[in-house]
Amino acid sequence: MDREEFETYLNANSRVVAIFRSEALAYQHSKNRQRATSKQWSETAVASAVDKMVGQFIDNVYDKLKTSIKESKFHPYDSWVSFIEINEVLDNLEDAVSEMEFAE
């Protein structure tokens, strides 16, 4: 499974990306409110920062899983799905993201 397939799989089978995006957006808005009025970011800049955070989150999860999964030569996608399901990765990710707090 490549990175794009992984992101598609996450979005189709879990709310983890949506939950993370919501938390990241709240964090970026909070940071933005702390800036001087003249230095505050536009909504476009805030959204861009959130997109970057989401991308880094997905990259980190993908890279960590990649080291743990033994891909079948003939069915690499199925190897990922099987590992994710057996180890309840999506449920664990949702729980972890729900409890996560961003540091300044």
Side-chain angles (χ1 to χ4, degrees), residues 1-101:
M1 184 180 288
D2 65 24
R3 201 266 189 211
E4 287 74 30
E5 288 175 321
F6 179 67
E7 183 173 0
T8 301
Y9 179 85
L10 275 181
N11 286 320
N13 295 286
S14 171
R15 294 187 51 244
V16 71
V17 175
I19 294 168
F20 184 89
R21 181 175 297 281
S22 175
E23 297 286 332
L25 185 61
Y27 168 73
Q28 287 297 340
H29 277 291
S30 173
K31 263 180 74 172
N32 204 32
R33 282 191 297 275
Q34 294 172 6
R35 293 185 180 97
T37 305
S38 62
K39 303 270 186 192
Q40 287 186 351
W41 292 359
S42 68
E43 278 303 312
T44 304
V46 169
S48 179
V50 169
D51 289 343
K52 184 176 179 183
M53 290 175 72
V54 169
Q56 289 173 335
F57 169 72
I58 294 170
D59 288 345
N60 289 340
V61 173
Y62 178 78
D63 290 341
K64 282 189 169 66
L65 284 175
K66 191 174 180 181
T67 62
S68 301
I69 297 173
K70 308 250 188 296
E71 283 189 1
S72 161
K73 282 184 184 178
F74 302 109
H75 304 288
Y77 186 90
D78 295 336
S79 301
W80 278 74
V81 172
S82 178
F83 181 89
I84 289 168
E85 288 175 354
I86 289 169
N87 293 288
E88 299 179 352
V89 171
L90 299 181
D91 291 338
N92 293 331
L93 267 176
E94 283 184 15
D95 291 345
V97 168
S98 294
E99 295 172 7
M100 184 179 348
E101 291 185 26

